[in-house]
Amino acid sequence: MPHSVDPLRSAFADELQRVSSERELRALRDRYLGRKGGVVATLMKQIAAAPSGDRRLLGQLANEFKTDVERALAERQQALQDRLEPVEAVDITLPGRPIAQGRRHPLVILRDRLEDIFAELGYAVVEGPEIEDEYHNFEALNIAPDHPARDMQDTLYLNAPIDSRRGTAPPSERTRPQVDRAATLLRTHTSGMQIRYMEAHEPPIRIIAPGRVYRRDNLDLTHTPMFHQVEGLVVDESITMADLKGTLTHLLRELFGPDARALFRPTFFPYTEPSADVFVSCHACHGSGCPVCKRTGWLEILGCGMVHPAVFEAVGYDPERFGGFAFGIGIERLAMLKYGVDDIRMFYENDLRFLEQFPH
Ligand SMILES: [Zn+2]
């Protein structure tokens, strides 16, 4: 006959200590509180059989023990649940977690900016096919059959042009593909859109044509086999070089700030005459010379010129009546100069640490 419940208390405390799952806790509860054979039930039976003088005190101790066991089991149950379901333990005073937001790619930011600038000047934005034929990509743009750009080393042909002398020769033997309107290629520039648009429309024309272009280049710091251009074309009566210079100077000031200066240096393109490379004063040193501009004070931004009469003739426009200018901007090059990026491959590696640096 027990005279104390202390040994039971310490045994229970030991067992409770070792419980590490709800299953073990249920087993412990059954062992102590089970109606038949449970430790507490057995104790009560023993007390009922005890001499009446001891019964009252023992009954009181047993009831206290039972209450303590119930409370300890309940607390342990709660602790296990808290551990298993941490989502239940929400601190509503914590600040919320920011939701990751998508953003525009830097090349898209610049393309959109260019579209906005020209839209304000009344230009329409048009798009054309990336799979182009030799006629629209070269011939109609006054690019002669023996021009090096037509070499298969530079252009990605989809079906090889027919060489009348040797049949279909492997690319290494082919230096002068014959003009073949059926030959298809990945367009090497967006200038083919000049032809496609003029074929379908009468002047006046004011368009820009953004899009992807392809060259047979290996990846390096400044070359990728695919990149982006924005083509511009204006055709009307009495369009002069002054219109071209005014438009592009405005463009450069919109892109690089109101103090930006433009420099036009004569160059050669088959589809414009005269032609010019356009430079903007270096925004990093304001023209005094720095590593960004290779100490020249100027950054080469784009190529442009007055539409060549042969191009007008190809689309059936009268070159005596109409004048026009055209320009082509490489978006990657512009982005590298504007944002100070020195490796073009960064734009295609999808590294968020790089992409997240650009303003929305
Ligand atoms: Zn500079």
Side-chain angles (χ1 to χ4, degrees):
M1 181 65 232
H3 296 283
S4 162
V5 297
D6 288 349
L8 293 177
R9 280 184 181 278
S10 67
F12 174 76
D14 281 352
E15 288 191 74
L16 185 65
Q17 190 76 38
R18 288 194 293 272
V19 163
S20 62
S21 70
E22 290 198 83
R23 204 167 64 106
E24 290 172 6
L25 190 70
R26 274 197 300 276
L28 183 64
R29 174 182 286 114
D30 291 345
R31 204 151 58 246
Y32 277 81
L33 299 181
R35 282 173 183 277
K36 282 183 182 172
V39 171
V40 172
T42 305
L43 180 63
M44 294 299 189
K45 261 186 198 167
Q46 290 170 340
I47 291 168
S52 59
D54 299 337
R55 225 181 282 161
R56 188 155 177 255
L57 177 64
L58 284 170
Q60 198 179 335
L61 289 171
N63 275 323
E64 282 173 8
F65 175 56
K66 186 186 177 196
T67 307
D68 289 346
V69 166
E70 283 171 344
R71 192 176 56 231
L73 288 170
E75 283 172 3
R76 194 53 187 264
Q77 167 103 20
Q78 189 62 50
L80 285 171
Q81 275 177 354
D82 287 349
R83 196 186 63 188
L84 290 172
E85 299 168 44
V87 287
E88 296 286 332
V90 173
D91 181 351
I92 59 167
T93 64
L94 284 172
R97 282 187 204 139
I99 297 167
Q101 229 177 354
R103 53 175 63 218
R104 289 181 299 165
H105 190 279
L107 298 177
V108 175
I109 294 172
L110 263 187
R111 189 199 64 201
D112 290 352
R113 179 83 188 103
L114 289 167
E115 290 184 7
D116 288 346
I117 292 169
F118 284 103
E120 280 178 15
L121 297 176
Y123 286 59
V125 178
V126 301
E127 287 183 3
E130 291 174 25
I131 295 175
E132 189 54 283
D133 54 55
E134 277 221 300
Y135 176 75
H136 288 92
N137 197 75
F138 292 129
E139 188 184 353
L141 286 162
N142 198 35
I143 302 173
D146 58 354
H147 191 280
R150 296 216 197 183
D151 196 310
M152 298 204 47
Q153 304 299 322
D154 298 317
T155 300
L156 290 155
Y157 282 90
L158 296 173
N159 59 342
I162 308 299
D163 186 313
S164 55
R165 284 170 294 122
R166 287 183 297 184
T168 308
S172 57
E173 296 176 28
R174 179 177 299 281
T175 52
R176 291 181 53 179
Q178 185 192 24
V179 173
D180 179 2
R181 290 193 183 202
T184 52
L185 46 83
L186 293 177
R187 64 180 178 188
T188 58
H189 51 188
T190 44
S191 303
M193 273 310 292
Q194 293 184 30
I195 305 301
R196 290 195 173 274
Y197 197 83
M198 286 191 285
E199 282 175 342
H201 299 83
E202 290 297 317
I205 287 171
R206 265 185 295 186
I207 58 161
I208 59 167
R212 283 187 282 265
V213 301
Y214 303 83
R215 304 260 174 101
R216 204 159 172 148
D217 276 324
N218 290 320
L219 270 177
D220 64 22
L221 282 176
T222 53
H223 294 89
T224 54
M226 185 279 293
F227 57 101
H228 298 78
Q229 284 187 339
V230 173
E231 189 78 12
L233 175 69
V234 171
V235 180
D236 204 347
E237 293 176 2
S238 70
I239 292 287
T240 70
M241 189 95 187
D243 299 309
L244 168 62
K245 292 182 76 172
T247 301
L248 294 181
T249 302
H250 170 75
L251 167 69
L252 296 181
R253 286 182 181 154
E254 288 287 318
L255 288 174
F256 291 96
D259 298 331
R261 285 167 293 133
L263 174 74
F264 292 74
R265 190 175 70 182
T267 188
F268 172 79
F269 301 118
Y271 35 95
T272 47
E273 178 61 33
S275 307
D277 289 324
V278 181
F279 298 72
V280 67
S281 49
C282 178
H283 57 95
C285 64
H286 301 284
S288 61
C290 72
V292 174
C293 56
K294 298 193 179 76
R295 312 262 161 224
T296 63
W298 297 96
L299 301 169
E300 186 178 348
I301 295 290
L302 58 94
C304 68
M306 306 304 291
V307 178
H308 196 289
V311 174
F312 281 152
E313 282 163 6
V315 296
Y317 286 8
D318 179 0
E320 299 295 324
R321 181 179 166 204
F322 293 110
F325 65 77
F327 54 87
I329 306 168
I331 299 183
E332 279 82 352
R333 177 171 175 76
L334 182 62
M336 290 171 80
L337 294 171
K338 185 169 168 60
Y339 297 129
V341 177
D342 54 13
D343 186 344
I344 195 171
R345 295 169 292 196
M346 299 291 285
F347 292 118
Y348 303 106
E349 285 170 355
N350 291 331
D351 186 335
L352 285 178
R353 293 169 301 178
F354 171 75
L355 296 175
E356 283 175 350
Q357 296 177 55
F358 298 92
H360 277 285

